[in-house]
Amino acid sequence: MGHGKAKLSFRLLAVLMIIPLPKTLHIKFRDTLIKICHLFYFYMMGTSEDQYARFVNSAAWSNGHHGSETESFGYQVREFVKGVMEMSVEFAKGCRDIVRQSLGKEDSFMRKNLGKLKGPCDKVCGKLRFFNEYLPEDKDPLHAWSVICFVLVLAFAVLSVNTEGENSIPLEKKLSIHPLSADRILLPDGRYIAYREEGVAADRARYSIIVPHNFLSSRLAGIPGLKASLLEEFGIRLLTYDLPGFGESDPHPSRNLESSALDMSFFASSVGVNDKFWVLGYSSGGLHAWAALKYIPDRLAGAAMFAPMVNPYDSMMTKGEMYGIWEKWTRKRKFMYFLARRFPRSLVYFYRRTFLSGKHGKIDKWLSLSLGKRDRALIEDPIYEEFWQRDVEESVRQGNAKPFLEEAVLQVSNWGFRLADLKLQKKQQGKGIVSLLKSFLSRGQDEYTGFLGPIHIWQGMDDRVVPPSMTDFVHRVLPGAAMHKLPYEGHFTYFYFCDECHRQIFTTLFGTPQGPLNIAVEVDQSPVEGDGEEQEEGTFCNATLN
């Protein structure tokens, strides 16, 4: 072990001896440096202090020095520090000489290059010479201009620091918890669903639309910015509800898309929607609209989809469709989908740091969205920010990450059905005697499978949240769906706060507005003879549906 340490000390000594030292370095520093290396060597070898003292004395005697006094370790350290200080002084002097040689001499490199700029500088100074008339008479122009330039640079530096400080420390708003205000209905399994109703009353509604909200939203969203007068004009009753675990709705113990469709059916019956209704799915809310088309098709009059989300891992997608979808997404969003598919519980960590942190933030940051110019301009609008903040506050009211985790998993997992199952097609006859008898009895009446009603899909061509390739896949699988491609529109711009867009949507779905249903009641107050008493009998003379 000692030999290894000795080799290390000798290597260190060799390195120190081959370092090029300045010629002006004091000889005393060299001797001190050698002594320090000797001390390090004997320390590594385990030599005692007396043995080292005898070695120093013998070395001094052999060199012709009468070193009767033993130099202690403290003395060696002091001499070493003195040598370092002397070397630092010499190094500073060397740097000073280099600067003088580079800038002080006429034939130096820097002076030659700076001399080339003298002509242009003189021209600029000549053009600005008239400003000298405004300077004080007792001040040298060169001195005054140098002071002015320094003050300007200092002022711009202060302004830039202040501006950066304001931008780098944004004011964070905290989420507010609002009082309970929703109407709720009781489901057969004992859970409550909170909902919101807009438009005309149930007995006057010509059309009923039910809207399941998307991820990180609530019943308050509906169709953002939709005017009540437009609902009245078309006779529409708009119903939105909180998904299980969102807003004021109770969570579901084992939620899936089939249970979501059944909840929608029970909800519609509970609020008095006895006829067929339309379902509207926006973005990830489209999952629940697809489920309604599959599991409760008899209750639906039609479906309106706006950039509907589908499973990005669907096995029916071609490579080109899948590439067109994934290339539009940020790396973080792709990573979040991967976690939702493979390690869903790890998403709780990200949710706790974003929308469940108790503070407000931007939707593109929280959900890792890449947005186009028009979408980005919209989310910066104060009207949108106010709507978004209130909607998020209602969505995360319960502070539970489980419903959000369930929504994320539903997007990338097996739905229990395929979109191709919704395609309208003739039912294939089975084999066997029973199937033959059924086909014979129902001769002339073809049986169909899939959804019989209309499906309308609106897609912004500049949408980077749900790329157009996703709806191209839907149209390939469901060729009967009506596609409405919107040039220059993004993910939010056509659906949010656009009065003309909302009118176009309702006109496409329902045609010319006819207003709500009118039940006119007239009372005939003519006297009726009988037993000498006059009675007034109210009769319904005219009850018409307009």
Side-chain angles (χ1 to χ4, degrees):
M1 187 68 178
H3 294 289
K5 295 179 180 179
K7 290 182 179 179
L8 179 62
S9 63
F10 280 122
R11 290 177 182 175
L12 178 62
L13 178 61
V15 171
L16 292 174
M17 293 303 293
I18 64 174
I19 293 176
L21 299 174
K23 294 182 179 180
T24 56
L25 184 63
H26 201 276
I27 300 177
K28 190 175 183 180
F29 176 74
R30 291 179 180 272
D31 296 339
T32 304
L33 190 60
I34 295 174
K35 291 177 182 179
I36 291 296
C37 293
H38 288 163
L39 179 63
F40 180 73
Y41 165 72
F42 282 105
Y43 172 75
M44 299 298 289
M45 292 295 294
T47 307
S48 63
E49 185 176 355
D50 294 337
Q51 292 175 342
Y52 172 70
R54 289 196 298 270
F55 168 77
V56 171
N57 291 333
S58 61
W61 181 264
S62 62
N63 290 330
H65 300 286
H66 300 282
S68 59
E69 298 180 359
T70 303
E71 295 179 351
S72 64
F73 179 75
Y75 174 78
Q76 298 292 340
V77 172
R78 287 194 298 272
E79 292 299 321
F80 178 75
V81 172
K82 288 180 182 179
V84 171
M85 296 300 295
E86 291 177 2
M87 187 175 67
S88 301
V89 171
E90 295 297 331
F91 177 75
K93 291 180 179 180
C95 293
R96 182 194 60 187
D97 294 339
I98 292 174
V99 172
R100 287 179 178 178
Q101 293 177 1
S102 301
L103 299 178
K105 295 183 179 180
E106 294 292 338
D107 58 345
S108 63
F109 176 78
M110 295 298 294
R111 290 290 292 272
K112 289 181 180 180
N113 288 277
L114 291 175
K116 296 178 181 179
L117 300 176
K118 185 176 181 181
C121 291
D122 292 340
K123 292 181 180 180
V124 174
C125 293
K127 293 181 179 180
L128 299 177
R129 192 166 297 167
F130 68 94
F131 283 109
N132 294 339
E133 298 177 1
Y134 302 96
L135 297 176
E137 297 181 356
D138 58 341
K139 297 294 183 181
D140 182 19
L142 181 61
H143 174 73
W145 278 112
S146 62
V147 173
I148 291 173
C149 293
F150 176 75
V151 172
L152 288 175
V153 171
L154 184 62
F156 282 120
V158 171
L159 290 175
S160 63
V161 170
N162 290 337
T163 304
E164 291 177 359
E166 294 176 357
N167 295 333
S168 61
I169 308 177
L171 296 177
E172 291 186 347
K173 295 183 180 179
K174 293 185 177 181
L175 293 174
S176 301
I177 303 300
H178 300 268
L180 299 176
S181 60
D183 297 324
R184 301 204 304 171
I185 57 102
L186 181 64
L187 297 177
D189 60 358
R191 292 181 295 114
Y192 281 92
I193 279 188
Y195 70 97
R196 180 188 183 191
E197 183 175 354
E198 298 178 85
V200 301
D203 57 344
R204 300 177 63 232
R206 189 177 297 275
Y207 308 103
S208 296
I209 302 178
I210 294 182
V211 185
H213 62 79
N214 58 315
F215 188 86
L216 195 56
S217 188
S218 69
R219 69 183 185 281
L220 301 182
I223 302 177
L226 180 62
K227 290 185 177 180
S229 59
L230 190 62
L231 292 173
E232 182 77 19
E233 184 178 349
F234 281 85
I236 297 173
R237 183 189 184 197
L238 187 68
L239 297 162
T240 57
Y241 65 96
D242 289 329
L243 295 174
F246 290 78
E248 298 183 30
S249 291
D250 294 337
H252 193 287
S254 56
R255 185 158 63 105
N256 54 33
L257 288 180
E258 184 176 4
S259 68
S260 178
L262 295 179
D263 284 352
M264 188 185 301
S265 179
F266 286 127
F267 166 68
S269 301
S270 300
V271 296
V273 180
N274 299 320
D275 297 331
K276 292 184 177 182
F277 60 87
W278 284 75
V279 62
L280 187 151
Y282 167 71
S283 191
S284 59
L287 272 68
H288 307 282
W290 294 127
L293 295 176
K294 170 60 180 178
Y295 294 110
I296 55 171
D298 296 337
R299 296 298 318 274
L300 300 183
M305 303 284 197
F306 298 87
M309 188 74 184
V310 300
N311 188 347
Y313 294 97
D314 197 308
S315 59
M316 296 185 66
M317 285 186 184
T318 63
K319 291 184 179 180
E321 291 168 344
M322 190 167 291
Y323 175 78
I325 294 171
W326 287 89
E327 70 167 348
K328 298 292 184 180
W329 291 340
T330 61
R331 292 182 179 178
K332 186 175 180 181
R333 189 179 180 191
K334 296 175 184 177
F335 180 63
M336 299 292 278
Y337 280 131
F338 169 76
L339 293 180
R341 188 172 175 85
R342 299 298 183 186
F343 310 99
R345 294 186 180 274
S346 61
L347 292 176
V348 177
Y349 169 77
F350 295 97
Y351 295 163
R352 294 293 181 189
R353 293 175 58 87
T354 53
F355 50 82
L356 292 179
S357 64
K359 298 178 181 179
H360 282 294
K362 297 291 186 180
I363 184 173
D364 55 332
K365 301 297 182 183
W366 279 358
L367 302 182
S368 305
L369 306 179
S370 55
L371 302 178
K373 292 183 179 180
R374 297 191 62 184
D375 276 340
R376 190 164 297 280
L378 177 63
I379 67 173
E380 297 293 338
D381 191 283
I383 297 177
Y384 175 87
E385 288 187 355
E386 182 180 358
F387 158 79
W388 157 253
Q389 292 176 5
R390 181 65 182 90
D391 192 30
V392 170
E393 289 172 347
E394 190 64 27
S395 180
V396 302
R397 169 188 289 276
Q398 302 183 31
N400 188 7
K402 183 181 177 181
F404 299 97
L405 188 62
E406 291 172 342
E407 280 294 297
V409 173
L410 284 176
Q411 293 182 19
V412 297
S413 61
N414 184 9
W415 292 0
F417 65 94
R418 300 182 305 170
L419 287 180
D421 298 338
L422 306 178
K423 181 180 178 181
L424 183 61
Q425 53 188 338
K426 289 184 178 181
K427 187 176 181 180
Q428 296 181 356
Q429 300 294 336
K431 298 180 180 180
I433 299 176
V434 177
S435 299
L436 291 175
L437 291 175
K438 285 184 178 180
S439 62
F440 178 77
L441 293 175
S442 61
R443 186 171 50 186
Q445 297 180 357
D446 294 331
E447 294 185 6
Y448 290 87
T449 60
F451 182 65
L452 301 177
I455 301 175
H456 291 269
I457 301 176
W458 282 266
Q459 176 65 52
M461 302 310 292
D462 193 30
D463 192 340
R464 303 180 186 179
V465 181
V466 179
S469 298
M470 190 166 282
T471 51
D472 290 341
F473 161 69
V474 174
H475 192 231
R476 179 175 63 83
V477 177
L478 300 176
M483 291 292 299
H484 308 278
K485 296 186 177 181
L486 309 171
Y488 313 113
E489 297 289 350
H491 189 68
F492 303 101
T493 52
Y494 190 78
F495 191 67
Y496 281 62
F497 303 100
C498 180
D499 298 336
E500 185 60 30
C501 304
H502 298 160
R503 178 175 291 276
Q504 292 176 3
I505 292 168
F506 290 154
T507 302
T508 302
L509 296 178
F510 310 124
T512 305
Q514 303 178 31
L517 297 176
N518 265 336
I519 302 179
V521 179
E522 296 182 2
V523 179
D524 186 2
Q525 297 183 354
S526 60
V528 177
E529 297 180 358
D531 296 334
E533 296 182 357
E534 294 184 355
Q535 300 178 355
E536 291 183 359
E537 179 181 358
T539 60
F540 293 101
C541 299
N542 185 19
T544 60
L545 298 179
N546 295 327

